[in-house]
Amino acid sequence: MSVVLKKLDNIEENTTDFALNFPLAAGHARQNANMISSQCICFQCALLCPKSIYQEDIVATIPTVDYQGPNKKYINHQLALAITAGLATGASGILQLFMTIIDRTLETKNWCAKDSEDVEISSRRQVLEWTLRSLLQSCESRENFSESGKWVAYPRALLWAVSDFNEAHLDSWIIQYPLAGFNQLLRWYELLNLPIVPGRMEAMQKAKLINLVVTNIMNGLLHEKDGDKSWTHPFLQLVYKAFNAPTVPRDLGGLSSIVSAHKFWSKLEDTLGQWQDVKRFLAGFDYASRRDVTLRIQAITFWALFTQKGHTTPKTFFANVKSREPLAPAVLNPEEVVAEGPIIDDLNSIFCPIRQAGSETRFGVETEMPPFVSPFGSSVLHCGLPGCPAKFYTEADLQLKPINVVAIRARRAHHLSEVYGIGITFDSQTGLPDPTQAPKAPTSYHNTLHISTARTWSKLDLKRKQAISEGVYGGNELAIAAFVREVLLEICARNRRGNIYSASVENEIRSMLPSFLQALQVASEKMGLEDKTGMSYNHDWQRENTLLAKINYELSL
C-alpha cells in the first residue's frame, strides 16, 4: 500500500526558520492540512498514476515499508519533494513534520475516521497508523534536538527532553517549544508509551501553562502604549471575582475575592484565546491538575502584573521572581506542593487589611463618609461623621485676618489621618488619600468620593442632572445607576487614591447623593439663582475649590 502526497500551494512555508527549528509546530500549519490524499491503493499502482484516483495532482508517493536501509533514502527524497520542494533541509526535521501531518490527518479527516464500520475508511486509517508508528520507532534525531547532540533513535531523544525538564524545569527545551508542537510531543509520548516517572507528564503540562500565561503577559507589556493597562483585565479576571474598574479588583473579603478553581478554567480559555491549539492543550488537564495549577497561575499572574515593570523574557521573569518572592520557588515547580493560605494572603495583599474588633477606626464593615456641606465636599471645619464632635478650628483662627488656614488644614489632616489612616503608613499633610499603586495596599480607608462626585456631576448636561435628581427623589433608577458607575470609575480608575478596592464604594456614592443635591440647592439660593433646584449651579473650580473659599462658604451658612 502507499500514502500519496498532494501538491502544496504554499510550500515555501515549510522552509522558513520557524519550520526548520520547530517542525512539530509547523506540521500544524494550515497549508499542510490537506497534504495527504484519501487515495488508498498499492504502491505499484500509485506510481503509474500522475494523478490520484480523485484527479488530484500528486507530487510524492510513500510506500508502506519499514523506514530502514535503502528504503530511507527513497522515502526521504519523496518527502523532500512534497514538503520542501526538494530542498535538503534535513531528513529528521522533514520526518517530524510529516509525522505530525499524518497524526493531524488521523485526528481531523472523516475519510480516515476512528472506529468507522466502512471498510475503505478503516483501511485508510490502518495504513496511516502503521506508517506513523513505523516512522516514530525508526527515525532518528539529535539527542538534544540541536546540532551539538549525537544521532539517536527518536524515542531516545524524546526521553532526553523529559530528563532535560527534570533539570531545567521552566527553562527546559520542551517548555520553550511552541504550543502546537508541545501538544504533539505529548501525543508522541502517549503513542510510544515511553517509560516516564508517574506524574512527570502532568508536571510538564503545568509548567507549559505557566510559561504560556507569562508569555502572553510579557507580550502585553511589550505592546502597551502610553501606560494603558486595559489589556490586563482578562488576566486580572483569572485572579479576582469582581471589579470596581477594569483594572481595579473589588475587595470582597479574603477568599471571597479570589476566583475559585471551579470558575477559573473557563476564564482561562477566554483569556488565552479560542485557538485550536489552546483548546487542545487545556483539554488535556484532568480535574486534579486543574485544581493544583489554578493557584499557581493566579500567583504568577499577580506577580507578573503587579511587580514586573516592563517587558522581559519569561526566562528572565522567572529568575527575577524567584529571587524576590518567597513563594515563587514552590509555585514555579509543579512537582512541589503549594499551600493555599499563603498564596491567598499574597493575592489579597493589595487590599486594605481587615479592621479588627477594637481598632481605633470609627467605622465598621463599610467606611462611613461625612455628608456634603458645600458643592465641593464635606465640612472643612468639623469632622462630619455621626457622633464625632471634632472641630478643626479655634475662634482665634477665625478672628485672624486672613483666617488661619494653615492651622485649620493641619488639624483637619491630623484628625482624618487618625480616623481613616492604616497604622503608621498614612500621615497626610492635607488629610486627602495617598495615590494607590498595587502591589502596595492603600494607606487609608477613605477615597476621593466627594470631589469625584462633584467633578463627574459638573461635566453633565442639564437633562442628565435633572434625570439623576428625579432618581434620587423616587424614579429613574437607570439614570442613578449610570451616574454612580461614572463616579466609581472617576474614583477608582482615574483618581486612584485611597481605598479604591472597597466593595462599598457604590453604596457610599448613592448615600451621598441626597446631601450633594441639597448642597447644590443651598448654594443656588445663596447665589440668588432663579433656579433654586441646584440644577443650574456651575462649579467654579478655580476660585471656589480652595480651602479658604470652602471655609468662608461654610461660615456663611
Side-chain angles (χ1 to χ4, degrees):
M1 301 301 288
S2 63
V3 177
V4 294
L5 307 181
K6 296 181 288 185
K7 186 177 180 180
L8 293 178
D9 293 330
N10 299 311
I11 201 168
E12 65 276 1
E13 295 295 325
N14 290 330
T15 59
T16 63
D17 288 341
F18 179 84
L20 297 179
N21 293 327
F22 309 110
L24 298 182
H28 287 254
R30 182 174 299 177
Q31 78 270 4
N32 293 319
N34 298 310
M35 175 183 288
I36 299 177
S37 171
S38 59
Q39 171 179 292
C40 187
I41 61 177
C42 72
F43 177 61
Q44 289 80 4
C45 294
L47 285 178
L48 297 175
C49 303
K51 290 180 178 289
S52 73
I53 58 177
Y54 306 111
Q55 296 305 300
E56 301 160 316
D57 290 329
I58 300 301
V59 69
T61 302
I62 311 299
T64 52
V65 294
D66 289 333
Y67 184 70
Q68 297 177 5
N71 295 338
K72 282 186 176 182
K73 186 174 182 180
Y74 177 79
I75 292 174
N76 290 343
H77 175 67
Q78 290 293 298
L79 290 178
L81 289 176
I83 295 175
T84 62
L87 293 177
T89 58
S92 177
I94 293 177
L95 278 168
Q96 291 181 66
L97 202 155
F98 179 55
M99 290 188 294
T100 302
I101 294 172
I102 295 177
D103 192 53
R104 298 299 297 143
T105 300
L106 287 167
E107 185 175 337
T108 60
K109 301 300 182 182
N110 291 329
W111 51 260
C112 58
K114 189 176 182 180
D115 299 326
S116 175
E117 295 181 359
D118 185 287
V119 175
E120 188 171 357
I121 292 176
S122 179
S123 297
R124 291 174 183 144
R125 187 169 189 87
Q126 289 176 15
V127 167
L128 291 178
E129 286 181 336
W130 185 93
T131 303
L132 177 58
R133 287 188 176 276
S134 175
L135 292 176
L136 276 173
Q137 294 167 353
S138 303
C139 74
E140 296 180 334
S141 172
R142 298 282 189 178
E143 186 175 32
N144 59 359
F145 294 96
S146 71
E147 293 182 0
S148 63
K150 63 180 180 181
W151 286 99
V152 296
Y154 193 57
R156 180 174 171 181
L158 293 175
L159 288 175
W160 169 86
V162 177
S163 65
D164 178 56
F165 171 77
N166 296 342
E167 296 179 4
H169 298 290
L170 287 163
D171 297 334
S172 61
W173 174 85
I174 194 169
I175 301 304
Q176 306 304 313
Y177 210 94
L179 184 59
F182 178 84
N183 288 337
Q184 201 60 52
L185 285 162
L186 296 185
R187 173 71 172 148
W188 294 159
Y189 290 120
E190 176 188 349
L191 287 176
L192 292 169
N193 194 26
L194 297 175
I196 299 174
V197 174
R200 194 58 46 78
M201 300 302 296
E202 290 82 357
M204 288 195 292
Q205 283 179 295
K206 295 172 187 177
K208 181 60 179 177
L209 181 55
I210 290 172
N211 176 272
L212 182 62
V213 170
V214 169
T215 298
N216 276 267
I217 291 176
M218 292 304 123
N219 188 53
L221 285 170
L222 178 64
H223 295 96
E224 181 178 300
K225 293 183 179 179
D226 302 323
D228 181 5
K229 294 289 184 180
S230 59
W231 64 270
T232 65
H233 181 65
F235 295 99
L236 287 169
Q237 285 187 308
L238 298 178
V239 182
Y240 300 104
K241 285 183 182 177
F243 294 82
N244 284 344
T247 62
V248 181
R250 180 174 296 170
D251 181 8
L252 301 177
L255 191 59
S256 298
S257 300
I258 309 304
V259 173
S260 65
H262 176 67
K263 299 286 187 181
F264 174 84
W265 214 251
S266 61
K267 294 178 180 290
L268 181 65
E269 291 173 347
D270 292 338
T271 299
L272 295 180
Q274 297 295 321
W275 304 103
Q276 195 60 39
D277 294 337
V278 173
K279 290 182 178 180
R280 186 183 181 199
F281 172 60
L282 296 180
F285 286 77
D286 60 22
Y287 178 77
S289 293
R290 291 186 179 199
R291 286 192 62 83
D292 176 78
V293 82
T294 294
L295 277 176
R296 299 179 193 274
I297 296 299
Q298 289 175 329
I300 286 294
T301 300
F302 178 88
W303 295 327
L305 294 179
F306 291 138
T307 69
Q308 182 62 37
K309 301 306 180 184
H311 171 265
T312 188
T313 64
K315 182 176 182 179
T316 300
F317 169 76
F318 293 135
N320 291 341
V321 82
K322 281 182 182 179
S323 67
R324 66 175 180 248
E325 300 293 341
L327 298 174
V331 168
L332 295 176
N333 185 351
E335 294 182 289
E336 281 196 34
V337 176
V338 292
E340 180 182 70
I343 293 179
I344 296 299
D345 289 344
D346 219 17
L347 303 182
N348 279 311
S349 65
I350 63 170
F351 301 138
C352 291
I354 299 174
R355 295 186 285 275
Q356 303 297 325
S359 65
E360 295 181 2
T361 55
R362 293 181 44 81
F363 33 81
V365 176
E366 292 193 1
T367 303
E368 293 182 32
M369 301 293 279
F372 278 86
V373 169
S374 79
F376 294 88
S378 59
S379 173
V380 294
L381 296 176
H382 303 88
C383 173
L385 289 174
C388 182
K391 63 179 184 179
F392 310 138
Y393 68 95
T394 65
E395 291 301 325
D397 294 331
L398 302 181
Q399 292 172 2
L400 288 175
K401 302 297 182 181
I403 291 173
N404 193 351
V405 174
V406 174
I408 294 174
R409 177 185 287 112
R411 292 191 195 95
R412 181 171 181 260
H414 178 71
H415 182 74
L416 293 179
S417 295
E418 285 188 331
V419 172
Y420 295 112
I422 299 174
I424 61 173
T425 60
F426 183 66
D427 186 21
S428 172
Q429 299 300 307
T430 63
L432 299 176
D434 294 330
T436 297
Q437 182 65 52
K440 291 183 178 180
T443 57
S444 66
Y445 289 108
H446 65 332
N447 50 50
T448 60
L449 185 149
H450 294 93
I451 196 67
S452 293
T453 300
R455 285 195 179 279
T456 304
W457 174 271
S458 68
K459 299 173 185 176
L460 302 180
D461 58 33
L462 180 60
K463 185 176 180 180
R464 282 201 64 191
K465 290 178 180 179
Q466 290 172 336
I468 294 166
S469 178
E470 291 171 5
V472 170
Y473 296 117
N476 209 336
E477 167 58 25
L478 291 178
I480 291 289
F483 179 68
V484 168
R485 184 61 186 167
E486 289 179 40
V487 177
L488 184 68
L489 290 174
E490 179 72 19
I491 294 170
C492 302
R494 289 184 277 275
N495 283 350
R496 299 184 71 92
R497 286 177 173 269
N499 188 11
I500 58 176
Y501 307 113
S502 172
S504 63
V505 179
E506 288 188 60
N507 290 336
E508 291 160 11
I509 297 169
R510 285 178 176 272
S511 69
M512 288 294 106
L513 285 179
S515 70
F516 177 59
L517 293 180
Q518 185 178 8
L520 294 177
Q521 292 170 6
V522 172
S524 297
E525 292 177 3
K526 285 181 63 61
M527 293 176 65
L529 298 179
E530 183 177 344
D531 178 11
K532 300 298 190 295
T533 65
M535 298 299 101
S536 297
Y537 177 85
N538 291 314
H539 289 77
D540 187 339
W541 295 101
Q542 294 297 322
R543 292 193 306 169
E544 298 176 5
N545 192 37
T546 66
L547 183 56
L548 179 58
K550 292 175 184 177
I551 292 171
N552 287 328
Y553 177 85
E554 194 170 337
L555 290 173
S556 72
L557 295 176

